[in-house]
């Protein structure tokens, strides 16, 4: 499974766009990229998944360059409730064991 | 139901005692996973099931940990003779067949071994 590297923490203010970048230099051809969010005392929650280019859903966008060695989770106009840990994961689609890294602690301030 | 349920929420055991955790996956989900979160943000995969069959147990410390997913019963994770280092939050997740990386996590069981 490809190892991921992401910033330990990030700070932002309400209403700003937040971009969290994840590095996965040894991603394999069949690997997919997925992001999870975890609030304190809760289980992780799936945010978004992609293979290449751009994926958008109602809460976030995922940008994946052509070489797929990195990906960026974009959260538009964050609010205080977006304060959480965000995990970037890489795994074979259909092979379901998730390998979590240390995640990025996002702190959103008023 | 639409949520993964885990019981108990908290469990305290003296070192050497047995601990048993339960997980009710979302109805219709074929795969169940157990993860251990020891320190803040550090997860470890333990075991997964496809229906009642073990799918992947590469993360299980087999000498003290065991798990089952029997038909019409909650899945269970049992730790015999708990050790201090077993103190962690144990998460169960489920996913329908083919959904791969989109897993639905329960709220976790916090095990404290004293």
């Amino acid at each position: 499974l490809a190892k991921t590297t992401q910033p330990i923490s990030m700070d932002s203010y309400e209403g700003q766009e937040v971009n969290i970048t994840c590095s996965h230099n040894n991603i394999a051809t069949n690997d997919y990229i997925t992001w999870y969010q975890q609030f304190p005392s809760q289980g992780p929650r799936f945010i978004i998944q992609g293979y290449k280019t751009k994926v958008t859903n109602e809460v976030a966008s995922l940008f994946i360059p052509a070489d797929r060695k990195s990906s960026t989770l974009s959260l538009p106009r964050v609010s205080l409730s977006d304060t959480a840990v965000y995990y970037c994961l890489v795994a074979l689609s259909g092979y379901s064991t998730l390998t979590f890294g240390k995640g990025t602690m996002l702190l959103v301030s008023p | 139901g639409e949520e993964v349920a885990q019981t108990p929420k908290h469990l305290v055991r003296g070192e050497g005692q047995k601990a048993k955790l339960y997980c009710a996956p979302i109805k219709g989900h074929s795969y169940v996973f157990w993860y251990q979160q020891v320190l803040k943000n550090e997860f470890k995969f333990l075991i997964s099931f496809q229906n009642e069959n073990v799918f992947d147990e590469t993360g299980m410390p087999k000498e003290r940990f065991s798990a089952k997913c029997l038909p019409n019963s909650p899945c269970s994770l049992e730790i015999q003779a708990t050790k201090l280092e077993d103190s962690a939050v144990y998460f169960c997740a489920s996913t329908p067949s083919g959904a791969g990386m989109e897993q639905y996590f329960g709220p976790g069981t916090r095990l404290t071994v004293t």
Side-chain angles (χ1 to χ4, degrees):
Chain A
L1 295 172
K3 184 178 177 182
T4 59
T5 303
Q6 51 184 123
I8 294 173
S9 64
M10 291 182 70
D11 294 323
S12 184
Y13 293 96
E14 278 190 296
Q16 289 191 332
E17 178 184 75
V18 171
N19 296 309
I20 307 174
T21 296
C22 177
S23 170
H24 28 79
N25 290 319
N26 59 340
I27 188 169
T29 303
N30 295 329
D31 283 343
Y32 278 68
I33 299 153
T34 187
W35 287 79
Y36 277 76
Q37 174 192 55
Q38 186 181 25
F39 297 112
S41 303
Q42 294 186 25
R45 184 175 73 98
F46 173 85
I47 301 175
I48 198 166
Q49 173 179 321
Y51 184 78
K52 62 180 179 180
T53 63
K54 177 183 174 182
V55 179
T56 297
N57 62 22
E58 62 276 6
V59 297
S61 294
L62 178 59
F63 298 92
I64 305 168
D67 66 5
R68 303 198 329 120
K69 293 185 183 297
S70 66
S71 60
T72 299
L73 175 72
S74 181
L75 304 172
R77 296 179 299 281
V78 294
S79 64
L80 297 177
S81 61
D82 292 316
T83 292
V85 179
Y86 292 82
Y87 296 93
C88 163
L89 300 97
V90 171
L92 286 170
S93 179
Y95 180 72
S96 306
T97 298
L98 299 179
T99 301
F100 287 84
K102 293 185 186 263
T104 297
M105 174 65 219
L106 171 66
L107 176 62
V108 180
S109 300
Chain B
E2 293 298 320
E3 293 183 345
V4 175
Q6 290 189 248
T7 55
K9 192 170 182 177
H10 300 282
L11 189 59
V12 180
R13 287 289 181 265
E15 208 173 1
Q17 290 186 320
K18 184 173 73 175
K20 195 163 186 178
L21 293 61
Y22 296 92
C23 167
I26 293 173
K27 192 176 180 180
H29 283 193
S30 308
Y31 290 84
V32 172
F33 306 80
W34 286 98
Y35 296 89
Q36 178 193 56
Q37 189 174 29
V38 177
L39 296 172
K40 197 166 61 169
N41 304 0
E42 291 193 19
F43 283 86
K44 178 187 175 185
F45 164 75
L46 295 175
I47 191 170
S48 62
F49 289 84
Q50 182 179 13
N51 297 311
E52 63 268 24
N53 303 309
V54 174
F55 186 69
D56 180 352
E57 56 181 349
T58 52
M60 280 287 268
K62 293 183 184 176
E63 61 277 9
R64 295 185 300 110
F65 284 61
S66 63
K68 294 179 186 177
C69 271
L70 300 176
N72 303 314
S73 297
C75 297
S76 63
L77 176 68
E78 188 167 341
I79 308 172
Q80 302 285 343
T82 53
K83 296 183 177 181
L84 295 177
E85 60 261 33
D86 297 331
S87 293
V89 180
Y90 291 82
F91 288 102
C92 171
S94 71
T95 184
S97 180
M101 297 162 76
E102 185 173 352
Q103 297 185 8
Y104 296 79
F105 281 76
T109 292
R110 178 174 294 279
L111 171 65
T112 302
V113 181
T114 60

